[in-house]
Amino acid sequence: MLTIALPKGALLKDSITFFAQAGLDFRELLDPSHRQLQVLAAQGTARALLVRAQDVPVYVQYGQAQLGVVGFDVLEEKQPQVAHLADLGFGHCRLSVAVKSTSSYGSARELPAHCRVASKFVHCAQRYFQDLDLPVDIVPLYGSVELGPLTGMSEAIVDLVSTGRTLRENGLVELEQIFTSTARLIAHPLSYRLNSDNLCHYIKRLRIDGIRIESEAPA
Amino acid sequence: MLTIALPKGALLKDSITFFAQAGLDFRELLDPSHRQLQVLAAQGTARALLVRAQDVPVYVQYGQAQLGVVGFDVLEEKQPQVAHLADLGFGHCRLSVAVKSTSSYGSARELPAHCRVASKFVHCAQRYFQDLDLPVDIVPLYGSVELGPLTGMSEAIVDLVSTGRTLRENGLVELEQIFTSTARLIAHPLSYRLNSDNLCHYIKRLRIDGIRIESEAPA
């Protein structure tokens, strides 16, 4: 059976609309009274797994799902071994460096060496500051990263910014954008190459600009 | 100012009741309409930070909070450099190995070598199977770990069990208990030793059996 890993949260609704193009109806997952983590579609020939955004590439990498939708930010942080099929064009946000609006820093390069930077995106933050040749102490947090500068724990944060409202409400300003992120369609490389579970039939029915189908899959 | 890191979620209510013993009223954090992550108490001489359970030891280790409440499970997984003051006796749960109820395994030792075990507690799971001398492939997940065996991705899971309802609902059974967990009071080691912000005044007012005060703090 074709299995698709879908991310809980902000990308779910648009992901479900996207797969509806291929006749895969997973709208049941949007019903708040629905507690199941799996939904069948297309007369039981396909199913969706509803998982945390960070877990989508895990299910796809291990081949438990042939396809998945996940933000580019998660791919950049986790660097999973999955085939990257297409940019789906929704879920726009950016990974940014932010500091207190009262601070005097004009760019990330002006941050003091060995200062603390709080982030959920530990690897992305490390790579960014390594590329700047600025040694900093990355403090790994799971949530409410904006508390870092507010409590004095960190001089800066590296966090996802969508509307910028959370930053503004907490008296923070963006200093740099590290990258912009959108939702991506990913696939299990071997399933994609071998066209398991009629994968390419569904991919062809998804209207994606510039997507390569299996005969053109990268070597 | 004395700062206390409190965990969002299951331990919050009992943690607030616990600190009320020392005249610290953080009940505002229980109001669902309250969106602030910081609350003052004791005429502004103390404050609580509301953070993710996994972040509590980070705030305490970095000295941004002098005290924190966190589950023993988080301490076992993260092994933070914090002083462990007391077992608070609430928030009982256990870290367990579970498998499908239809499987034939009678103990964790019977799991096949190199099988996959899904877990949010990657380090605890690794240590447990290393001690058993059983090489397994730990699959790191962030949520809904019970999907691991259901989708066929993993043979077993290592996860927190409280009532056992989630396991039962997903057709899983506990095979082994790795450890039991309760809420713990932790402190920033140096603040505790130096009695910063009148820390020991508050600790003495918390009715904790067998707690050591600063003059008896471990070397």
Side-chain angles (χ1 to χ4, degrees), chain A residues 11 14-15 18-19 21 67-73 75-76 82-93 179-187 192 203 206-212:
Chain A
L11 301 181
D14 285 332
S15 302
F18 172 72
F19 283 105
Q21 296 176 88
L67 289 176
V69 174
V70 67
F72 177 71
D73 55 299
L75 297 177
E76 276 295 281
V82 295
H84 189 146
L85 298 193
D87 182 341
L88 302 181
F90 57 81
H92 283 274
C93 58
F179 57 70
T180 57
S181 176
T182 47
R184 305 298 166 99
L185 181 66
I186 59 172
Y192 182 48
I203 292 178
L206 296 165
R207 289 173 216 119
I208 312 170
D209 291 335
I211 194 167
R212 287 178 294 201

Side-chain angles (χ1 to χ4, degrees), chain A residues 56-128:
Chain A
V56 165
V58 179
Y59 281 89
V60 174
Q61 178 172 337
Y62 281 88
Q64 256 16 75
Q66 289 83 34
L67 289 176
V69 174
V70 67
F72 177 71
D73 55 299
V74 175
L75 297 177
E76 276 295 281
E77 179 64 17
K78 303 281 171 197
Q79 310 255 335
Q81 290 166 24
V82 295
H84 189 146
L85 298 193
D87 182 341
L88 302 181
F90 57 81
H92 283 274
C93 58
R94 51 195 186 270
L95 191 74
S96 295
V97 183
V99 292
K100 275 188 175 177
S101 54
T102 53
S103 81
S104 60
Y105 306 119
S107 75
R109 285 175 197 281
E110 294 175 22
L111 286 168
H114 309 292
C115 75
R116 290 186 192 149
V117 177
S119 189
K120 287 179 241 182
F121 291 82
V122 171
H123 297 115
C124 292
Q126 264 163 354
R127 282 198 301 271
Y128 177 74

Side-chain angles (χ1 to χ4, degrees), chain A residues 183-194:
Chain A
R184 305 298 166 99
L185 181 66
I186 59 172
H188 180 239
L190 198 63
S191 301
Y192 182 48
R193 187 73 63 82
L194 299 177

Side-chain angles (χ1 to χ4, degrees), chain A residues 133-189:
Chain A
D133 210 10
L134 180 65
V136 298
D137 179 8
I138 308 290
V139 180
L141 288 181
Y142 281 76
S144 305
V145 177
E146 63 276 12
L147 265 180
L150 297 190
T151 59
M153 182 163 68
S154 75
E155 201 63 22
I157 63 173
V158 166
D159 205 15
L160 280 187
V161 180
S162 174
T163 62
R165 187 181 153 200
T166 304
L167 291 186
R168 276 193 304 278
E169 286 182 350
N170 289 287
L172 302 174
V173 289
E174 272 177 278
L175 212 51
E176 310 276 354
Q177 291 188 17
I178 300 181
F179 57 70
T180 57
S181 176
T182 47
R184 305 298 166 99
L185 181 66
I186 59 172
H188 180 239

